[in-house]
Structures are given as structure tokens and as C-alpha cells.
Amino acid sequence: MSRLLIVVDRAKDWSPYYPSEDVLTFDQYLQFTTPANGRVRVINLCQSAKYLSRGYYCSLLAEARGHHVVPSVMTLNDLSRKGLFSLELEELDSSVLEWLEASGSAIDPSKDARHATHEVRIRTYFGQVEHPELKPVARALFERFPCPILEVVFKRRKGWQIESMKPASPADLEEREQDVFAAALDRFSSMIWRKPRARRRYRFDLAVLVNPDEEMPPSDKVALTRFEKAGRKLGINVEQITRRDYMRLPEYDGLFIRETTAIDHHTYRFARKAEAEGMVVIDDPVSILRCTNKVFLADLLKNNKVPTPKTLILSKDQKQAVEQVMDELGFPVVIKIPDGAFSRGVTKAEDEESLRAGLKELFKQSALVLAQEYLYTDYDWRIGVLGGRAIYACKYMMVKGHWQIYQHGESTSESGDFETMPTYEVPRNVIQAALSATKLIGNGLYGVDIKQSGNRVAVIEVNDNPSIDAGVEDRFLGGELYTLIMQEFLSRMEANRRR
């Protein structure tokens, strides 16, 4: 269980806000004893953050005690080095530049635009800001320089730049700013101190990363609710977070990613940060790295003799790529980009003309493309594997009149039917292929897509972030599927705590 502490210079610095036993003065924090088996998060709101000041020592002591502190000593040191944040802002959204231009000109209304002072001073609060136009800037700065209250000065020379940044404290804020700060702190901390009984009856906290706007998320809303219910029965407080909660990760004991993953994406950064914080994380960074790139996966499976369709890796500069595909794979043939998901970036070529056209289009997106023999089946197996054992099995049927389980139109996507069954009814060689494939990836939660034709089985891909939707993957096990996954988190978090 994690505890949040807020450290201020003097008790009166917190007087405008809700009183709490978790708000300590600097002197009280000096005497604070870390609870056994506890995770402590510190928000350092001391006034001065200069070298060897109280604010500096607060962050230094927190790190020495193994507490996760915002701002960290590294952040305080970085803020003292102007070269790190003299950033050109020309690439930002035009609304940001327009707001800066208008605000800079308004500093001295008596001057015309040519002689106005083009300097703007703002404060950000946990990556939030009063002015909607500046939200992208505030969020980017907070991700790079995590600091509760940051005073930022913009100055225009040839283009707009950040002239200076320094930490501020609640004691520096006016009444209007206090409201903005309180709202930002409320969001950042989830108001832990306001609900001690509700939160502290749980042994562990698990963050579930979701994207409310994702068109085809790995779990629908009903499934997410069932994960929460299963977790709480086991003593785990399950809370949904979004990409904006990046800096809150250390509040939790584990991270469960229920958003489609990619390497050049915030999901990978979340996984990396969670792992660095010593949290239990599914999907872990290595699994994301190995599963999301089909080139890596194809080579890995082939070299370890896991049964797969015959596959070629084609280079953009390879002159005889079309001829090699025709000679070794024939038609029809499937071509795909390495990092597609939900059947996107996958094409079936029926002849040389469609192959050349398909490769030309896919090479615009990737320097490498996979060509794979086409295996016709009425359905794909999906075997869910967790911690090295198969926990569910589905047959995903092809969309009627189509060769894939998903068919994407200009504005809609369609999926085929499904059949969920107990794993003991699945052919033994299908289960064995799934376990052999996931053993090469890691020890997390995976969905293995397999084609079966007679006695032949072929692993198509391993998904690090498999779909678990209400009424589909849980059709046979029901609530037990969610309990199995939450139980795995519980066992791993308990092991972490013992260590």
C-alpha cells in the first residue's frame, strides 16, 4: 500500500487547503519513519529549491529513504541549467503561438505591437495550466521536468523560447491561483488524504491504463468493471488511469495496460517507468518490444523451431522482392507491416500486379515488410496464456465473405463470430504451440493466434495485449477469468513486498 506525503516549509503554508495528517512540515518530515513494507510518495512543496535549501534537502532525503519524490533531485538540478530548457516552440500548435503573441503584446498596452514586451510569465500545476491554449506546453514540460508548481517565462527573439523555469510553492500563490493548484493536486493525487478509510482497507493498489477514446480497446467497459470487482475481492484497489497520469505511477504497486501497445507510444513509456519503479507490470516492456514488431517475432519463432507459416522478410531496397515472393510463396500471399494491429496494415495479394501495388503501399510505412504464405482456415485460434499456462481459448471466425477476422471500412470495422471453449477441449498441439511461442516472449499475459489445417498448426502472432471483452473471451469462465488475472497480480505484488 502506498502513502502520499505533502511536505511544506510551515504549517501555515497549507492553511488555505483541506487539513490532513498527511501534510507535514519539513521539520516533521525529518523525523518521519518509513512504515514497514510501505511505499511512500512525497510531494515537495517547500518554498526554496536552491542547492542546500530546505526544498533541496527534502528531495535529497526522500530519495535516500527510498521514497518517490516530486520534484526529484535530478529535476531540481536540471532546472538550474538553462541549456536544457531553452527550447524552440515553433513546432507547437498555432494556438499556443497565437496566445503567446497576444499575451506578450498585452503586457504594456501603451506600446504598439512593434515595441511591446514579448515576454510571458505563467505558472503550471502538475502539468495543468489556467489557459487552455497552453495545455500541450504544460503537459510536455511536466513530463520532462516533473515539478508540482513551475513558474515559466517565455520570451520571443527570432521565435518563442522558454527563457527560464523555477519551482514555486503554495505560499507564492494568489487566491485565484490557489483554486487552480488545488484542482490540479486533486487530480494528481486522487485526494488520498480525503478518503483514508476507503482506500486503506486494500492491501495493494493496481493502476489500469486505458484510453477512453480508443476505437477498439483490448477490454470494453464491462470487462474493466469486472477486473475492478475481481481485484477488490482479493484486496486490490483497482483504479483506471490514462496517459495524463504518468507521474502518478509510483502511487501504485502494479500496472495493467488495457490500451493497445506500441513501441513509439506512451504505453511503452508507462511500462518502462513502472518496471523502473519496481512495480508489477503487464504488459512488461520486453513483451511489448518482442510482440509488437512482427519482424522480430517471425525471426524469433523461426529460429526456435516454433511452427509458423513460411515467412519472408523483405527490404524496401531489395530489387528482386516480388520475384522472391512468387518463387518461394506463390499466390495468394499475405503481406503485412511489422507493427499493425487488429488486421490493419495487412493485405492479401492474388497476383503479381496486386503484390507490387501492395508492397509499394506498405513500403511507404515501413522499411521492412513481411510476406507470408496464405493458409486458408474458417477460423483462427486465440489461446490466452498467463504466467506460462493456458487460461482461455477462443475460435475467431472470419468475417463473412472476407479472409480475415476483422474487416475495416472507411468509417466502420466489422468482426466475425466467435466460439469460446475450455482449454481442455482444444487440440493438444494447438496448446503446445501457444506455450512454446509465449515461453520465448516472457511470463506475462499473451494471446496467441494460431491457424490449424488438419494436423498442421502455425503460430501467426503473439499479442502482448490480448483482447478480453465481456461476453467473448470470458464466455466460458465468466468472472473466474478476471479473478485468475487479478490473482496473478496479487501473487506477484506479494512476492515484491516480501523482497
Side-chain angles (χ1 to χ4, degrees):
M1 181 68 204
S2 62
R3 182 179 177 185
L4 175 69
L5 297 179
I6 296 176
V7 182
V8 293
D9 281 304
R10 298 172 298 277
K12 69 176 184 179
D13 293 344
W14 193 254
S15 58
Y17 309 101
Y18 195 91
S20 168
E21 62 181 15
D22 291 334
V23 177
L24 306 182
T25 65
F26 176 76
D27 292 332
Q28 288 172 326
Y29 182 62
L30 284 177
Q31 306 302 320
F32 177 78
T33 302
T34 305
N37 297 324
R39 296 167 60 87
V40 178
R41 181 175 178 82
V42 176
I43 296 178
N44 176 7
L45 295 178
C46 294
Q47 281 184 282
S48 176
K50 292 181 180 179
Y51 182 61
L52 302 186
S53 66
R54 284 189 170 198
Y56 188 89
Y57 274 123
C58 178
S59 292
L60 192 68
L61 286 171
E63 293 187 8
R65 295 170 176 179
H67 301 170
H68 186 278
V69 61
V70 179
S72 65
V73 173
M74 180 180 293
T75 296
L76 295 178
N77 288 334
D78 286 348
L79 288 172
S80 66
R81 299 166 62 189
K82 182 179 177 181
L84 289 177
F85 54 82
S86 293
L87 308 174
E88 293 285 349
L89 303 177
E90 292 177 356
E91 295 183 1
L92 289 172
D93 190 277
S94 59
S95 62
V96 175
L97 302 178
E98 289 170 5
W99 186 91
L100 289 171
E101 197 69 34
S103 300
S105 299
I107 288 176
D108 188 348
S110 65
K111 298 179 179 179
D112 62 34
R114 291 174 301 169
H115 300 95
T117 303
H118 288 281
E119 182 176 289
V120 179
R121 187 181 304 268
I122 66 165
R123 285 186 176 133
T124 68
Y125 313 94
F126 297 97
Q128 304 295 311
V129 70
E130 290 181 78
H131 314 288
E133 297 87 349
L134 294 183
K135 282 184 178 180
V137 180
R139 187 162 55 247
L141 289 177
F142 186 65
E143 288 182 359
R144 186 168 177 182
F145 304 98
C147 193
I149 307 175
L150 196 60
E151 187 170 282
V152 186
V153 176
F154 299 91
K155 199 164 189 175
R156 193 183 75 173
R157 292 187 174 91
K158 292 181 180 179
W160 282 99
Q161 291 181 323
I162 295 175
E163 178 69 12
S164 67
M165 291 196 298
K166 66 178 183 179
S169 83
D172 301 323
L173 305 182
E174 299 175 358
E175 186 173 348
R176 172 182 53 80
E177 295 174 306
Q178 290 171 357
D179 292 338
V180 181
F181 166 71
L185 178 59
D186 185 15
R187 176 181 175 81
F188 183 73
S189 66
S190 291
M191 294 300 283
I192 289 175
W193 58 89
R194 285 193 182 180
K195 301 178 182 178
R197 292 181 183 176
R199 290 184 58 87
R200 290 176 186 168
R201 62 189 176 91
Y202 295 106
R203 297 170 57 198
F204 298 99
D205 293 306
L206 176 66
V208 180
L209 179 62
V210 300
N211 177 1
D213 300 321
E214 186 171 5
E215 180 185 348
M216 299 177 69
S219 288
D220 59 17
K221 291 181 180 179
V222 176
L224 292 174
T225 300
R226 291 177 180 175
F227 277 122
E228 292 177 12
K229 184 178 179 181
R232 286 168 181 166
K233 283 184 177 179
L234 295 172
I236 304 171
N237 181 52
V238 181
E239 180 183 345
Q240 293 181 33
I241 63 171
T242 68
R243 64 177 300 176
R244 294 185 177 184
D245 298 307
Y246 181 76
M247 294 308 302
R248 290 183 53 212
L249 269 183
E251 293 178 19
Y252 302 93
D253 302 287
L255 172 66
F256 188 22
I257 299 179
R258 289 283 83 195
E259 179 178 356
T260 303
T261 53
I263 293 298
D264 188 18
H265 194 248
H266 66 268
T267 49
Y268 184 66
R269 293 193 294 273
F270 268 74
R272 287 287 302 271
K273 183 174 178 63
E275 188 175 69
E277 294 290 344
M279 299 164 59
V280 174
V281 54
I282 297 176
D283 319 332
D284 63 275
V286 171
S287 294
I288 296 174
L289 185 66
R290 291 177 175 175
C291 290
T292 53
N293 192 293
K294 295 182 178 68
V295 168
F296 176 93
L297 191 59
D299 225 35
L300 181 70
L301 297 177
K302 177 183 176 182
N303 290 333
N304 286 275
K305 296 181 170 48
V306 175
T308 62
K310 188 172 182 180
T311 303
L312 299 176
I313 299 174
L314 307 176
S315 169
K316 189 175 185 177
D317 298 325
Q318 186 177 342
K319 294 182 179 179
Q320 302 298 319
V322 171
E323 288 72 15
Q324 183 184 5
V325 172
M326 292 192 297
D327 290 343
E328 297 188 31
L329 301 182
F331 293 108
V333 64
V334 176
I335 52 175
K336 57 179 76 173
I337 57 173
D339 60 349
F342 293 105
S343 299
R344 290 190 171 94
V346 181
T347 302
K348 185 173 71 168
E350 300 282 0
D351 50 36
E352 181 178 349
E353 182 181 355
S354 59
L355 174 61
R356 289 187 183 278
L359 288 176
K360 182 179 180 181
E361 188 62 32
L362 294 183
F363 277 134
K364 292 178 182 178
Q365 305 173 54
S366 174
L368 295 180
V369 168
L370 280 87
Q372 203 166 64
E373 73 170 299
Y374 174 66
L375 295 177
Y376 172 78
T377 57
D378 291 327
Y379 59 86
D380 286 353
W381 283 106
R382 165 65 64 83
I383 307 300
V385 178
L386 175 63
R389 64 190 181 110
I391 60 171
Y392 69 85
C394 284
K395 287 181 178 179
Y396 294 152
M397 313 300 177
M398 303 302 159
V399 176
K400 189 174 182 180
H402 188 60
W403 61 281
Q404 293 171 289
I405 61 175
Y406 293 101
Q407 184 174 22
H408 302 290
E410 292 185 4
S411 58
T412 60
S413 295
E414 185 181 357
S415 60
D417 204 352
F418 66 91
E419 180 184 351
T420 309
M421 61 183 62
T423 55
Y424 58 76
E425 291 186 3
V426 179
R428 184 180 180 86
N429 58 347
V430 172
I431 295 291
Q432 189 55 54
L435 297 180
S436 298
T438 57
K439 187 178 179 180
L440 301 171
I441 305 299
N443 199 36
L445 173 65
Y446 309 104
V448 188
D449 293 344
I450 298 175
K451 285 189 176 293
Q452 179 189 13
S453 179
N455 291 325
R456 182 188 180 187
V457 297
V459 175
I460 304 301
E461 62 184 25
V462 181
N463 301 278
D464 63 289
N465 195 250
S467 298
I468 297 179
D469 282 324
V472 183
E473 287 77 14
D474 67 358
R475 175 67 68 86
F476 177 75
L477 288 176
E480 181 63 21
L481 177 59
Y482 304 95
T483 300
L484 282 171
I485 295 170
M486 290 297 103
Q487 181 66 57
E488 184 72 16
F489 272 104
L490 178 62
S491 298
R492 296 187 188 194
M493 290 187 292
E494 284 177 335
N496 259 10
R497 182 165 291 183
R498 287 194 296 271
R499 284 195 293 269

